[in-house]
Protein backbone atom coordinates (compact mmCIF):
# COMPACT_ATOMS: atom_id res chain seq x y z
CA UNK A 1 0.00 0.00 0.00
CA UNK A 2 2.02 2.95 -1.25
CA UNK A 3 2.60 5.80 1.20
CA UNK A 4 1.64 4.05 4.42
CA UNK A 5 5.22 3.46 5.56
CA UNK A 6 8.20 5.78 5.22
CA UNK A 7 10.98 3.66 6.75
CA UNK A 8 11.69 -0.04 7.22
CA UNK A 9 14.23 -1.09 9.88
CA UNK A 10 15.56 -4.56 9.16
CA UNK A 11 18.74 -6.61 8.93
CA UNK A 12 21.31 -8.19 11.22
CA UNK A 13 23.59 -5.23 11.88
CA UNK A 14 21.75 -4.44 15.11
CA UNK A 15 19.99 -6.57 17.70
CA UNK A 16 16.20 -6.84 17.86
CA UNK A 17 15.98 -4.35 20.74
CA UNK A 18 18.37 -1.98 18.99
CA UNK A 19 16.26 -2.09 15.82
CA UNK A 20 13.21 -1.30 17.88
CA UNK A 21 15.11 1.62 19.45
CA UNK A 22 15.95 2.99 16.00
CA UNK A 23 12.31 2.61 14.98
CA UNK A 24 11.20 4.40 18.15
CA UNK A 25 13.50 7.31 17.27
CA UNK A 26 11.95 7.49 13.83
CA UNK A 27 8.47 7.46 15.31
CA UNK A 28 9.43 10.21 17.77
CA UNK A 29 10.14 12.41 14.77
CA UNK A 30 6.62 11.66 13.54
CA UNK A 31 7.72 9.19 10.88
CA UNK A 32 5.83 6.06 9.91
CA UNK A 33 8.09 3.08 10.40
CA UNK A 34 7.94 -0.71 10.18
CA UNK A 35 10.55 -2.69 12.10
CA UNK A 36 11.26 -6.38 11.65
CA UNK A 37 12.23 -7.51 15.14
CA UNK A 38 11.31 -9.73 18.05
CA UNK A 39 12.01 -7.33 20.90
CA UNK A 40 12.20 -8.13 24.60
CA UNK A 41 9.18 -7.37 26.76
CA UNK A 42 11.00 -4.46 28.40
CA UNK A 43 11.95 -2.87 25.11
CA UNK A 44 8.43 -3.27 23.80
CA UNK A 45 7.03 -1.65 26.92
CA UNK A 46 9.42 1.30 26.57
CA UNK A 47 8.48 1.71 22.91
CA UNK A 48 4.88 2.26 23.94
CA UNK A 49 6.01 5.70 25.16
CA UNK A 50 7.70 6.61 21.90
CA UNK A 51 4.91 6.40 19.36
CA UNK A 52 4.30 9.80 17.87
CA UNK A 53 4.24 8.72 14.24
CA UNK A 54 3.32 5.13 13.34
CA UNK A 55 5.37 2.23 14.73
CA UNK A 56 4.63 -1.20 13.26
CA UNK A 57 6.36 -4.37 14.41
CA UNK A 58 6.64 -7.59 12.44
CA UNK A 59 6.19 -10.41 13.34
CA UNK A 60 3.22 -9.38 15.46
CA UNK A 61 4.09 -9.35 19.18
CA UNK A 62 1.31 -11.20 21.02
CA UNK A 63 0.65 -8.16 23.26
CA UNK A 64 -0.31 -5.92 20.35
CA UNK A 65 -3.21 -5.72 17.92
CA UNK A 66 -2.15 -7.40 14.69
CA UNK A 67 -3.04 -6.18 11.20
CA UNK A 68 -2.65 -7.73 7.78
CA UNK A 69 -3.18 -4.41 6.04
CA UNK A 70 -0.27 -1.99 6.43
CA UNK A 71 -2.33 1.16 5.99
CA UNK A 72 -4.82 0.05 8.63
CA UNK A 73 -1.96 -0.84 10.98
CA UNK A 74 -0.25 2.53 10.48
CA UNK A 75 -3.47 4.46 10.92
CA UNK A 76 -4.27 2.54 14.11
CA UNK A 77 -0.79 3.08 15.54
CA UNK A 78 -0.82 6.78 14.79
CA UNK A 79 -4.34 7.34 16.07
CA UNK A 80 -3.84 5.40 19.31
CA UNK A 81 -0.19 6.35 19.95
CA UNK A 82 0.71 2.71 20.36
CA UNK A 83 2.85 0.21 18.46
CA UNK A 84 0.87 -2.14 16.25
CA UNK A 85 1.71 -5.59 14.92
CA UNK A 86 1.89 -6.22 11.17
CA UNK A 87 1.77 -9.60 9.42
CA UNK A 88 1.36 -8.67 5.76
CA UNK A 89 3.80 -8.59 2.85
CA UNK A 90 6.79 -6.24 2.92
CA UNK A 91 5.38 -2.85 1.91
CA UNK A 92 6.80 -0.26 -0.45
CA UNK A 93 8.16 2.75 1.42
CA UNK A 94 7.43 6.31 0.47
CA UNK A 95 8.44 9.55 2.20
CA UNK A 96 5.44 11.74 2.38
CA UNK A 97 5.87 14.23 5.15
CA UNK A 98 8.15 16.77 6.73
CA UNK A 99 9.38 15.74 10.14
CA UNK A 100 8.26 17.75 13.12
CA UNK A 101 9.14 17.24 16.73
CA UNK A 102 7.07 17.53 19.83
CA UNK A 103 9.09 19.81 22.07
CA UNK A 104 8.46 19.78 25.80
CA UNK A 105 8.51 23.12 27.48
CA UNK A 106 9.60 22.51 31.02
CA UNK A 107 11.36 24.50 33.67
CA UNK A 108 15.03 23.67 33.74
CA UNK A 109 16.70 21.75 36.53
CA UNK A 110 13.51 20.50 38.12
CA UNK A 111 15.55 17.64 39.44
CA UNK A 112 18.23 19.94 40.80
CA UNK A 113 16.22 22.23 42.99
CA UNK A 114 13.10 22.55 45.02
CA UNK A 115 11.68 21.10 48.20
CA UNK A 116 12.96 17.78 49.40
CA UNK A 117 14.36 16.89 46.02
CA UNK A 118 17.32 19.22 46.22
CA UNK A 119 20.32 17.71 44.51
CA UNK A 120 23.46 19.78 44.59
CA UNK A 121 26.18 19.13 42.09
CA UNK A 122 24.74 16.07 40.34
CA UNK A 123 27.52 14.29 38.48
CA UNK A 124 25.92 15.09 35.12
CA UNK A 125 25.51 18.78 35.97
CA UNK A 126 28.85 19.74 34.36
CA UNK A 127 27.75 17.90 31.22
CA UNK A 128 24.54 19.93 31.11
CA UNK A 129 26.56 23.09 31.61
CA UNK A 130 28.84 22.13 28.74
CA UNK A 131 25.89 21.49 26.44
CA UNK A 132 24.28 24.77 27.39
CA UNK A 133 27.55 26.68 26.98
CA UNK A 134 28.02 25.15 23.53
CA UNK A 135 24.55 25.92 22.21
CA UNK A 136 23.54 29.13 23.99
CA UNK A 137 24.60 31.30 21.09
CA UNK A 138 22.78 29.14 18.58
CA UNK A 139 19.11 29.42 17.78
CA UNK A 140 18.83 25.70 18.27
CA UNK A 141 16.79 23.19 20.21
CA UNK A 142 19.09 20.29 21.07
CA UNK A 143 17.67 16.89 21.85
CA UNK A 144 19.48 14.87 24.47
CA UNK A 145 18.77 11.15 24.52
CA UNK A 146 20.31 9.47 27.53
CA UNK A 147 20.91 6.04 28.97
CA UNK A 148 21.14 7.66 32.40
CA UNK A 149 18.34 9.20 34.36
CA UNK A 150 19.09 12.26 36.38
CA UNK A 151 17.92 11.01 39.73
CA UNK A 152 17.79 13.26 42.73
CA UNK A 153 19.10 11.83 45.94
CA UNK A 154 15.74 12.17 47.61
CA UNK A 155 12.48 10.50 46.63
CA UNK A 156 10.38 10.72 44.60
CA UNK A 157 12.46 10.81 41.43
CA UNK A 158 11.37 12.92 38.48
CA UNK A 159 9.34 11.10 35.88
CA UNK A 160 11.40 12.39 32.99
CA UNK A 161 14.89 13.46 32.23
CA UNK A 162 15.41 17.20 32.16
CA UNK A 163 17.94 18.87 29.91
CA UNK A 164 17.97 22.66 29.90
CA UNK A 165 18.68 24.47 26.69
CA UNK A 166 18.08 28.04 25.71
CA UNK A 167 17.36 29.67 22.38
CA UNK A 168 19.21 32.72 23.59
CA UNK A 169 20.93 33.66 26.81
CA UNK A 170 18.52 34.78 29.46
CA UNK A 171 15.56 32.76 28.26
CA UNK A 172 14.05 29.60 29.59
CA UNK A 173 14.98 26.74 27.39
CA UNK A 174 13.06 24.55 25.11
CA UNK A 175 13.80 21.34 26.84
CA UNK A 176 13.69 18.11 24.92
CA UNK A 177 14.42 14.99 26.87
CA UNK A 178 14.28 11.35 25.90
CA UNK A 179 14.90 8.53 28.35
CA UNK A 180 13.38 5.18 27.47
CA UNK A 181 15.32 2.31 29.03
CA UNK A 182 16.02 -0.42 28.18
CA UNK A 183 15.91 1.02 24.66
CA UNK A 184 19.43 2.23 23.97
CA UNK A 185 19.77 5.99 23.81
CA UNK A 186 22.16 5.74 20.87
CA UNK A 187 19.63 3.66 18.91
CA UNK A 188 16.87 6.19 19.54
CA UNK A 189 19.18 9.06 18.59
CA UNK A 190 20.09 7.26 15.38
CA UNK A 191 16.42 6.95 14.50
CA UNK A 192 15.82 10.62 15.23
CA UNK A 193 18.70 11.62 12.98
CA UNK A 194 17.44 9.36 10.21
CA UNK A 195 13.97 10.80 10.78
CA UNK A 196 15.26 14.25 9.98
CA UNK A 197 15.39 16.18 13.25
CA UNK A 198 17.25 19.34 12.25
CA UNK A 199 16.20 21.97 14.79
CA UNK A 200 19.38 21.45 16.77
CA UNK A 201 22.04 18.93 17.62
CA UNK A 202 20.98 15.41 18.54
CA UNK A 203 23.14 14.34 21.49
CA UNK A 204 23.21 10.88 22.98
CA UNK A 205 24.56 10.16 26.44
CA UNK A 206 25.67 6.53 26.19
CA UNK A 207 27.09 4.21 28.79
CA UNK A 208 29.67 2.81 26.37
CA UNK A 209 30.98 3.33 22.86
CA UNK A 210 29.59 0.90 20.29
CA UNK A 211 28.61 0.68 16.64
CA UNK A 212 25.46 2.73 17.29
CA UNK A 213 27.46 5.59 18.81
CA UNK A 214 29.73 5.63 15.76
CA UNK A 215 26.70 5.70 13.45
CA UNK A 216 25.20 8.60 15.39
CA UNK A 217 28.37 10.59 14.73
CA UNK A 218 28.44 9.52 11.07
CA UNK A 219 24.89 10.82 10.63
CA UNK A 220 25.77 14.19 12.10
CA UNK A 221 24.85 13.61 15.74
CA UNK A 222 26.93 13.84 18.89
CA UNK A 223 27.71 11.43 21.69
CA UNK A 224 28.98 11.56 25.25
CA UNK A 225 30.40 8.22 26.32
CA UNK A 226 30.25 7.87 30.08
CA UNK A 227 32.77 5.08 30.55
CA UNK A 228 35.59 6.92 28.78
CA UNK A 229 37.71 9.81 30.04
CA UNK A 230 37.29 13.05 28.14
CA UNK A 231 36.13 16.65 28.07
CA UNK A 232 32.39 16.93 27.41
CA UNK A 233 32.80 20.63 26.68
CA UNK A 234 34.53 19.67 23.43
CA UNK A 235 31.37 17.90 22.27
CA UNK A 236 30.51 20.06 19.27
CA UNK A 237 34.03 20.04 17.88
CA UNK A 238 34.79 16.37 18.56
CA UNK A 239 31.34 14.75 18.03
CA UNK A 240 32.18 11.84 20.34
CA UNK A 241 33.68 12.65 23.73
CA UNK A 242 34.22 10.93 27.03
CA UNK A 243 33.15 12.33 30.35
CA UNK A 244 35.33 12.70 33.41
CA UNK A 245 34.16 15.46 35.74
CA UNK A 246 36.47 16.30 38.62
CA UNK A 247 35.44 17.76 41.94
CA UNK A 248 37.15 20.84 43.34
CA UNK A 249 36.65 23.77 45.66
CA UNK A 250 35.27 26.78 43.85
CA UNK A 251 35.16 30.45 44.73
CA UNK A 252 33.79 33.61 43.13
CA UNK A 253 36.07 36.55 42.36
CA UNK A 254 33.75 39.57 42.74
CA UNK A 255 36.24 41.79 40.91
CA UNK A 256 35.91 39.71 37.74
CA UNK A 257 32.17 39.17 38.06
CA UNK A 258 29.99 41.47 35.95
CA UNK A 259 26.73 40.21 37.51
CA UNK A 260 25.52 38.72 34.24
CA UNK A 261 23.74 35.86 36.02
CA UNK A 262 24.76 33.14 33.56
CA UNK A 263 26.10 30.91 36.31
CA UNK A 264 22.73 30.97 38.05
CA UNK A 265 21.26 29.19 35.04
CA UNK A 266 22.87 26.04 36.36
CA UNK A 267 19.90 25.99 38.71
CA UNK A 268 22.21 24.73 41.42
CA UNK A 269 20.72 25.33 44.87
CA UNK A 270 24.22 25.91 46.26
CA UNK A 271 24.67 29.04 44.14
CA UNK A 272 22.62 32.09 45.06
CA UNK A 273 22.73 35.81 44.30
CA UNK A 274 24.35 37.90 47.02
CA UNK A 275 23.30 41.44 47.97
CA UNK A 276 26.16 42.79 45.83
CA UNK A 277 24.77 40.99 42.77
CA UNK A 278 27.67 38.60 42.48
CA UNK A 279 26.79 34.96 43.08
CA UNK A 280 27.58 33.35 46.38
CA UNK A 281 28.59 29.71 46.77
CA UNK A 282 26.98 28.07 49.77
CA UNK A 283 28.58 25.40 51.98
CA UNK A 284 26.36 22.75 50.33
CA UNK A 285 28.48 23.05 47.15
CA UNK A 286 29.88 19.71 46.06
CA UNK A 287 32.47 21.27 43.78
CA UNK A 288 31.13 19.88 40.52
CA UNK A 289 32.31 22.94 38.57
CA UNK A 290 29.17 23.40 36.46
CA UNK A 291 28.76 27.06 37.42
CA UNK A 292 32.38 27.73 36.50
CA UNK A 293 31.75 26.28 33.04
CA UNK A 294 28.90 28.75 32.57
CA UNK A 295 30.97 31.78 33.60
CA UNK A 296 32.60 33.18 30.47
CA UNK A 297 34.54 35.74 32.51
CA UNK A 298 36.38 33.21 34.60
CA UNK A 299 35.01 34.72 37.77
CA UNK A 300 34.26 31.33 39.30
CA UNK A 301 37.52 29.50 39.76
CA UNK A 302 38.86 26.46 41.43
CA UNK A 303 40.69 27.51 44.57
CA UNK A 304 44.45 27.16 44.22
CA UNK A 305 45.67 23.92 45.77
CA UNK A 306 42.13 22.60 46.15
S1 LIG B 1 30.21 34.69 38.29
FE1 LIG B 1 30.44 34.81 36.07
S2 LIG B 1 28.55 34.01 35.22
FE2 LIG B 1 28.18 34.44 37.39
S3 LIG B 1 27.27 36.49 37.39
FE3 LIG B 1 29.51 36.72 37.68
S4 LIG B 1 30.36 37.00 35.62
FE4 LIG B 1 28.27 36.20 35.38
S1 LIG C 1 27.90 25.90 43.35
FE1 LIG C 1 28.80 25.43 41.35
S2 LIG C 1 30.47 23.97 41.80
FE2 LIG C 1 29.14 24.04 43.62
S3 LIG C 1 27.70 22.33 43.31
FE3 LIG C 1 26.72 24.19 42.51
S4 LIG C 1 27.23 24.21 40.31
FE4 LIG C 1 28.61 22.75 41.31
Amino acid sequence: MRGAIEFIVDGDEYSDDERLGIAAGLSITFRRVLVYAEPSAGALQAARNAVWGALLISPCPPELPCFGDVEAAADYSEAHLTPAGYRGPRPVTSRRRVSTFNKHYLRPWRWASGGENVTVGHYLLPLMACIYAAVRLLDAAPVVVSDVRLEPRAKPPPDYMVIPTWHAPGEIAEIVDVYLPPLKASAIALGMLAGGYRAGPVITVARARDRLVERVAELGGYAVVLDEPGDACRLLESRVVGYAPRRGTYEVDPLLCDRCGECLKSGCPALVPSPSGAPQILPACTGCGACAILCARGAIRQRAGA
Side-chain angles (χ1 to χ4, degrees):
M1 200 66 74
R2 190 166 183 83
I5 289 297
E6 296 177 280
F7 292 84
I8 293 177
V9 182
D10 199 1
D12 297 329
E13 185 177 3
Y14 303 112
S15 71
D16 290 65
D17 281 7
E18 288 171 344
R19 290 199 296 279
L20 183 59
I22 294 169
L26 283 158
S27 178
I28 284 174
T29 53
F30 289 96
R31 297 296 188 178
R32 290 181 148 210
V33 55
L34 166 64
V35 55
Y36 288 95
E38 296 181 54
S40 66
L44 186 58
Q45 182 61 31
R48 289 177 182 270
N49 297 315
V51 182
W52 295 349
L55 176 54
L56 310 189
I57 303 173
S58 186
C60 288
E63 304 93 324
L64 298 179
C66 186
F67 297 82
D69 178 89
V70 71
E71 187 123 16
D75 287 347
Y76 180 91
S77 174
E78 212 164 50
H80 294 83
L81 297 177
T82 181
Y86 173 63
R87 56 175 161 70
R90 189 181 181 95
V92 174
T93 58
S94 173
R95 308 280 168 84
R96 65 176 197 172
R97 58 177 64 191
V98 174
S99 173
T100 55
F101 193 86
N102 184 11
K103 297 176 195 130
H104 300 270
Y105 296 85
L106 304 171
R107 296 182 70 81
W109 308 121
R110 187 179 84 153
W111 56 277
S113 61
E116 297 177 351
N117 294 328
V118 170
T119 299
V120 178
H122 189 286
Y123 87 106
L124 283 183
L125 189 57
L127 168 61
M128 308 310 169
C130 289
I131 292 172
Y132 167 64
V135 304
R136 63 183 158 189
L137 297 180
L138 307 174
D139 184 20
V143 176
V144 179
V145 193
S146 180
D147 280 333
V148 180
R149 165 168 267 172
L150 302 179
E151 291 191 34
R153 290 181 192 143
K155 299 291 181 185
D159 56 3
Y160 50 77
M161 180 175 174
V162 178
I163 302 292
T165 57
W166 282 259
H167 278 301
E171 293 183 4
I172 292 293
E174 283 186 304
I175 301 160
V176 181
D177 54 275
V178 180
Y179 171 72
L180 292 167
L183 294 177
K184 269 188 178 177
S186 49
I188 299 168
L190 188 57
M192 294 179 66
L193 286 162
Y197 183 76
R198 297 286 182 270
V202 176
I203 301 162
T204 182
V205 179
R207 293 188 187 279
R209 186 186 293 253
D210 60 11
R211 175 74 185 126
L212 283 162
V213 165
E214 304 294 349
R215 283 292 291 152
V216 165
E218 287 166 15
L219 282 192
Y222 301 85
V224 179
V225 181
L226 294 178
D227 75 346
E228 292 181 9
D231 180 359
C233 285
R234 299 176 66 86
L235 180 66
L236 293 192
E237 54 191 282
S238 301
R239 288 211 176 270
V240 182
V241 294
Y243 186 59
R246 280 196 295 250
R247 302 278 173 181
T249 302
Y250 287 86
E251 59 187 4
V252 178
D253 184 340
L255 296 178
L256 287 178
C257 174
D258 66 1
R259 284 69 171 158
C260 69
E262 280 295 297
C263 55
L264 298 173
K265 291 176 183 173
S266 68
C268 177
L271 193 71
V272 296
S274 70
S276 73
Q280 179 185 358
I281 296 178
L282 302 179
C285 170
T286 61
C288 74
C291 55
I293 291 169
L294 296 182
C295 179
R297 291 181 60 83
I300 302 180
R301 296 183 300 215
Q302 204 165 345
R303 191 174 294 162

